[in-house]
Amino acid sequence: DFPLKLSENLFSYTLLMCSLCFGYIFTFVTLREWVAVESDSIQPRLRPEITRMMELVAKRLSALGATVKMINMNFPQILDGQSIPLPPFILAELGNDIQKATVCFYGHVDVQPAKKEDGWKTDPYILTEKDGQFQEKSSMPVNFKFIIEGMEEAGSLGLEELIKEENESFFSNVDYVVISDNLWLSNTKPALTYGTRGNACFSVEVECCEKDLHSGTFGGIIHEPMTDLVALLDSLVNSSGHILIPGIYEDVASLTEEEKKLYEPIEFDLEEYKNAIGVKRFLYDTKEEILLHLWRYPSLSLHGIEGAFHGPGIKTVVPAKVIGKFSIRQVPHMNISKVEQQVISYLEEVFSKRNSPNKLKVTMPIGALPWVADVNDTQYKAARRSIKRVFGEDPDLIRDGSTIPVARMFQNITRKSVMMLPIGAADDGEHSQNEKISRYNYIQGTKLFASFFLEISNLHG
Ligand SMILES: *[C@@H]1O[C@H](CO)[C@@H](O)[C@H](O)[C@H]1NC(C)=O
Ligand SMILES: *[C@@H]1O[C@H](CO)[C@@H](O)[C@H](O)[C@H]1NC(C)=O
Ligand SMILES: *[C@@H]1O[C@H](CO)[C@@H](O)[C@H](O)[C@H]1NC(C)=O
Ligand SMILES: *[C@@H]1O[C@H](CO)[C@@H](O)[C@H](O)[C@H]1NC(C)=O
Ligand SMILES: *[C@@H]1O[C@H](CO)[C@@H](O)[C@H](O)[C@H]1NC(C)=O
């Protein structure tokens, strides 16, 4: 059995996730050492710590007999006009038996900023209890590959370029790509993730003049940019959550009977979800409707207005230029360029009806694509069997309403089967204070990976 002793309240989830998939193949796991590294990718001053983390990972992989390459991408991050070099990436291989399936793990070993003062009960970088070790006895049922980065929390800089560069080499013999970087939907029932929504972010700029004006001097005689902008933003979505942009739902994949069936057994407590954030009522009433609208239908959210007066008190200013920010969570098979055009022409039309002399500019600075996999794919079958074996029940087949660009990135570039295999429970508090993983999830998770390797080697044609 697995002798690792862990406290309930632990440490960086992300690091743990990586350690998890490595757990099975590492002869000696020293989590304490990994957790102690402040590999925070948000604060540039800690960049050397990420490099140190990557070196620790490389050392472990090499000790196992893996071939390890540290790749430096010539892709500096520009922050406040300063160029900060990226930490290296790791590409590693363990085993190359052409009779066996090759499973490639994507993982990242960077974390978001965390301090005890943020409300952690223990130092987030200190593993509270004893670390341990375990021995692997039988031979590996699959070949392993690893692609590890240290900049995920800061936007995976350089990763897409690396995957493209390595497509014909490192990825050429990969059969399956596995990502373990998300959570179950429930606190107790395991899940497998087969889709994520994309996101198209928009800026709507309305400008009247060069300088801000005073409402006493100009109020009542001009077309105010903020009034135009609020009307534009209000035209996007109605109070039932329906997006009002013509044609926007045209390409949304229609819901099949098979797909509908996946929603029925999902364990999801609507009341608890509601209470957790303190809202009285959702836009929909049933579990199925809520999950469908969270995962496989688009949504539009308003995020903010740049240039507007904000803060306490009263300021009778008329801002000269305001920029509204909103985004559309996209789903298969919406076409991002088409969405962009639909949004622009709709807002221009709404604006023209206002007969305002102000300048309007609508842009889409960021667009990330959605991702969806076939739940009947070989590696999903293997994962479902393994989950049943290790946890004694079938997993919830879930999607994620947020955007996880790596899944789509791997799928689009390599054209390989991509799966997200989460180990953490819904209440792990990913990225927040006292983020943790339970001993149960950790240990069962490790067994799950072991079982998955065996199942995939059986099913792999
Ligand atoms: C929002 O739009 C949808 C689709 O046209 C419609 O069914 C719904 O009744 C509208 N909601 C409101 C509050 O107008
Ligand atoms: C997966 O395959 C099973 C068995 O062939 C089938 O019943 C089910 O509808 C399929 N599910 C989806 C979502 O395609
Ligand atoms: C997406 O939409 C653009 C613009 O409407 C069009 O040119 C392009 O062919 C579409 N792409 C796909 C894959 O349908
Ligand atoms: C997929 O990758 C290709 C080649 O790298 C890129 O040009 C394209 O924009 C990507 N398309 C999608 C839909 O992700
Ligand atoms: C990457 O390689 C695969 C074959 O392994 C190929 O199908 C795919 O088109 C390649 N991707 C790009 C962007 O060239």
Side-chain angles (χ1 to χ4, degrees), residues 33-51:
E33 194 188 2
W34 284 30
V35 168
V37 182
E38 217 174 320
S39 57
D40 169 345
S41 57
I42 308 294
Q43 303 179 68
R45 70 176 177 85
L46 290 169
R47 205 53 55 83
E49 285 298 277
I50 302 182
T51 302

Side-chain angles (χ1 to χ4, degrees), residues 53-77:
M53 185 71 231
M54 297 307 273
E55 281 158 5
L56 282 175
V57 175
K59 216 167 87 185
R60 284 260 178 265
L61 285 163
S62 305
L64 279 165
T67 317
V68 182
K69 275 198 289 187
M70 300 276 260
I71 313 261
N72 283 296
M73 295 294 282
N74 187 16
F75 201 89
Q77 182 184 21

Side-chain angles (χ1 to χ4, degrees), residues 32 76 103 128 131 147 150 175 179 197 234 253 257 273 286 289 306 316 345 363 369 387 402 440 453:
R32 181 189 295 274
V103 179
T128 324
D131 54 355
I147 173 165
D175 298 298
I179 302 167
R197 290 196 293 188
D234 186 52
E257 279 307 311
Y273 209 59
T286 67
E289 279 179 307
E306 188 182 328
T316 54
S345 53
T363 53
L369 295 156
I387 289 171
S402 339
Y440 174 77
F453 301 142

Side-chain angles (χ1 to χ4, degrees), residues 93-111:
E93 306 185 37
L94 182 61
N96 59 356
D97 183 340
I98 55 164
Q99 308 290 333
K100 293 177 181 174
T102 299
V103 179
C104 176
F105 282 98
Y106 159 80
H108 67 93
V109 288
D110 59 313
V111 299

Side-chain angles (χ1 to χ4, degrees), residues 353-366:
K353 288 195 184 129
R354 293 184 60 79
N355 206 15
S356 165
N358 295 332
K359 268 188 292 190
L360 170 72
K361 196 165 93 194
V362 184
T363 53
M364 186 183 80
I366 296 176

Side-chain angles (χ1 to χ4, degrees), residues 4-269:
L4 226 127
K5 297 245 171 21
L6 300 165
S7 74
E8 298 293 332
N9 257 324
L10 290 182
F11 47 82
S12 161
Y13 184 79
T14 313
L15 262 187
L16 189 79
M17 286 300 96
C18 286
S19 324
L20 257 187
C21 65
F22 298 157
Y24 176 66
I25 56 157
F26 284 142
T27 318
F28 298 103
V29 185
T30 313
L31 275 179
R32 181 189 295 274
E33 194 188 2
W34 284 30
V35 168
V37 182
E38 217 174 320
S39 57
D40 169 345
S41 57
I42 308 294
Q43 303 179 68
R45 70 176 177 85
L46 290 169
R47 205 53 55 83
E49 285 298 277
I50 302 182
T51 302
R52 191 160 74 83
M53 185 71 231
M54 297 307 273
E55 281 158 5
L56 282 175
V57 175
K59 216 167 87 185
R60 284 260 178 265
L61 285 163
S62 305
L64 279 165
T67 317
V68 182
K69 275 198 289 187
M70 300 276 260
I71 313 261
N72 283 296
M73 295 294 282
N74 187 16
F75 201 89
Q77 182 184 21
I78 310 292
L79 267 183
D80 302 328
Q82 270 198 333
S83 159
I84 306 158
L86 284 189
F89 287 87
I90 286 176
L91 293 179
E93 306 185 37
L94 182 61
N96 59 356
D97 183 340
I98 55 164
Q99 308 290 333
K100 293 177 181 174
T102 299
V103 179
C104 176
F105 282 98
Y106 159 80
H108 67 93
V109 288
D110 59 313
V111 299
Q112 291 195 357
K115 293 195 298 282
K116 184 129 192 265
E117 302 87 272
D118 296 338
W120 283 71
K121 290 188 191 118
T122 59
D123 184 327
Y125 292 104
I126 296 178
L127 184 60
T128 324
E129 286 188 30
K130 271 189 200 160
D131 54 355
Q133 55 193 33
F134 73 103
Q135 216 88 43
E136 167 50 37
K137 296 193 182 72
S138 59
S139 84
M140 298 297 170
V142 295
N143 302 314
F144 294 98
K145 287 203 167 187
F146 295 94
I147 173 165
I148 312 293
E149 68 161 323
M151 291 297 289
E152 196 269 350
E153 307 292 1
S156 290
L157 299 170
L159 179 66
E160 187 169 3
E161 288 69 19
L162 175 67
I163 302 172
K164 280 183 187 161
E165 270 178 24
E166 295 290 336
N167 189 48
E168 314 287 328
S169 40
F170 183 79
F171 288 102
S172 63
N173 66 343
V174 166
D175 298 298
Y176 309 100
V177 177
V178 179
I179 302 167
S180 185
D181 195 19
N182 64 320
L183 300 176
W184 297 347
L185 188 63
S186 138
N187 294 341
T188 52
K189 190 175 170 201
L192 255 181
T193 307
Y194 66 97
T196 59
R197 290 196 293 188
N199 206 4
C201 300
F202 288 90
S203 277
V204 192
E205 183 182 305
V206 183
E207 185 175 12
C208 72
C209 29
E210 275 167 20
K211 279 185 293 202
D212 287 354
L213 305 170
H214 187 263
S215 68
T217 319
F218 291 98
I221 60 166
I222 59 166
H223 291 83
E224 298 187 10
M226 186 76 117
T227 315
D228 283 340
L229 180 63
V230 169
L232 288 168
L233 295 178
D234 186 52
S235 74
L236 293 167
V237 63
N238 75 11
S239 59
S240 318
H242 189 86
I243 306 174
L244 301 172
I245 300 156
I248 200 91
Y249 291 98
E250 245 165 38
D251 298 327
V252 173
S254 48
L255 180 67
T256 63
E257 279 307 311
E258 295 77 47
E259 193 188 347
K260 220 167 159 181
K261 281 199 200 104
L262 298 177
Y263 286 79
E264 285 157 22
I266 292 177
E267 191 174 294
F268 180 68
D269 188 336

